[in-house]
Amino acid sequence: MKTVPSARAKGLVLLVEDDPALLLMTCYNLEQRGYRVEKAEDGESALAALETSRPDAVVLDWMLPGLSGLDVCRRIRANPALRDVPVLLLTARSAEQDAIRGLDTGADDYLMKPCSIDTLDARLRALLRRHQSSYDRLSFADITLDPETHRVERAGRMLSLGPTEYRLLDLLIRNPRKVFSREDLLRRIWGQNIHVEIRTIDVHIRRLRKAINAPGEIDLVRTVRAAGYALDDGPATDGA
């Protein structure tokens, strides 16, 4: 069996597979190629693992006991803290409609079983490259945000943000000057199936402003009347 030295870890992979022998073999081969691997044998175990650690990618078998791989994928995409984690769906299903169904559920890629470890490695590397920008430091005006450490600074001083305010800023700083409606923000921050009053957004926007704006500094969170909010360093002509 060919092995590749693992001098540098490629990332943490959550491997979800209900066949114990296949789980162990795939885990071993991925570790030989430089990945750190966490294992789960069913959907519930996978969701429990995701509550304690955020992997760089999930390799997810479709046919699992209890919660299916599609159910797990839906839960991942509905969780604001996990929705950008790449998901590679593994399945023995060969019909094109099954592939479409898997991708429509939120999977980033789809791979037929059985597959070689080289193919799996190549697909994982492509997914991780595609999502690597999520870990780059982000900046707008004099604000910087580090997605890996969750450190936020403005003009060199450390800012203290609550979890929701951090997610709001993360979304806005990735899309500078783009106006998000309150409905957009509710869907992206809280998810599709969570009932939250729409005015809750206004409360968290006020908290975000308080956290990032010191006296005398430009308010970078712009309110666009009848439209929503944007991160903008231009003149404030649309309201507070």
Side-chain angles (χ1 to χ4, degrees), residues 35-231:
Y35 298 94
R36 292 179 294 120
V37 182
E38 186 168 357
K39 303 186 293 294
E41 296 187 1
D42 54 51
E44 294 290 353
S45 299
L47 293 175
L50 289 166
E51 288 181 0
T52 59
S53 63
R54 186 185 188 279
D56 297 295
V58 178
V59 176
L60 181 61
D61 186 24
W62 182 318
M63 302 299 291
L64 294 171
L67 283 175
S68 72
L70 291 188
D71 292 328
V72 175
C73 190
R74 290 189 188 98
R75 299 277 188 95
I76 291 172
R77 292 297 173 245
N79 187 332
L82 298 170
R83 63 173 52 139
D84 60 340
V85 173
V87 175
L88 175 60
L89 198 63
L90 297 178
T91 180
R93 296 169 178 260
S94 59
E96 181 181 8
Q97 286 304 313
D98 287 327
I100 293 171
R101 184 182 172 199
L103 295 172
D104 284 346
T105 300
D108 296 89
D109 202 354
Y110 182 96
L111 196 55
M112 287 289 301
K113 294 166 60 177
C115 62
S116 72
I117 188 62
D118 291 331
T119 300
L120 178 57
D121 183 21
R123 295 289 187 91
L124 274 174
R125 284 187 279 111
L127 282 180
L128 292 173
R129 282 196 304 271
R130 196 182 310 162
H131 288 76
Q132 187 59 48
S133 61
S134 299
Y135 300 98
D136 293 340
R137 284 174 64 89
L138 306 168
S139 63
F140 181 81
D142 55 354
I143 292 181
T144 59
L145 181 150
D146 187 333
E148 189 168 5
T149 64
H150 282 211
R151 291 167 63 94
V152 182
E153 298 179 9
R154 181 167 187 182
R157 75 178 188 280
M158 190 69 62
L159 303 181
S160 177
L161 275 66
T164 301
E165 290 71 47
Y166 176 87
R167 292 197 296 271
L168 278 169
L169 181 60
D170 182 79
L171 174 64
L172 294 173
I173 205 169
R174 291 179 189 274
N175 301 274
R177 301 184 180 87
K178 177 178 178 178
V179 178
F180 288 93
S181 70
R182 291 179 175 87
E183 291 80 6
D184 285 339
L185 294 173
L186 282 175
R187 186 178 67 255
R188 290 170 179 258
I189 303 301
W190 278 272
Q192 294 276 14
N193 302 317
I194 306 298
H195 177 70
V196 179
E197 292 293 333
I198 198 163
R199 287 295 172 181
T200 301
I201 286 292
D202 300 332
V203 173
H204 289 286
I205 288 290
R206 285 197 296 271
R207 291 177 180 172
L208 177 61
R209 283 186 166 126
K210 184 177 180 181
I212 68 175
N213 297 325
E217 289 181 332
I218 296 172
D219 183 2
L220 296 175
V221 182
R222 179 164 65 97
T223 301
V224 183
R225 288 198 182 99
Y229 298 101
L231 196 66

